[in-house]
Amino acid sequence: NISQNLFTKNLPDPEILIRTGNTNRISNFLVWQSIYTEIFFIKKMWPEFTKRDLFRIISKFKNINRNYGGLNDKFK
């Protein structure tokens, strides 16, 4: 099992990944662990990222129908 051989083996996989800086890539950051992670790309640079931005992302995340790789209703 690959997961058991990673440095993060005792940590849960991330559910949210926020990429600041107007870059639409994850730069090999937790590639294996983030397979079902919801990724949010923000145009702001990190110092300009605010609590309001975070709360907006959390609100969007709460409204996502996550299916973890399964088919959702529109494909059934």
Side-chain angles (χ1 to χ4, degrees), residues 29-46:
F29 179 75
L30 298 176
V31 176
W32 183 265
Q33 301 90 326
S34 63
I35 192 71
Y36 296 118
T37 300
E38 299 297 332
I39 303 172
F40 295 87
F41 298 102
I42 306 299
K43 292 182 179 182
K44 293 181 178 183
M45 298 299 280
W46 175 247

Side-chain angles (χ1 to χ4, degrees), residues 32 39 44 53-54 59 70 72:
W32 183 265
I39 303 172
K44 293 181 178 183
D53 296 319
L54 178 61
S59 178
N72 60 24

Side-chain angles (χ1 to χ4, degrees), residues 1 7 9-10 12 24-25 29 37-38 41 49 60 64:
N1 187 342
F7 289 118
K9 67 182 175 187
N10 295 320
N24 293 336
R25 58 186 163 81
F29 179 75
T37 300
E38 299 297 332
F41 298 102
F49 189 80
K60 287 180 183 179
I64 293 173

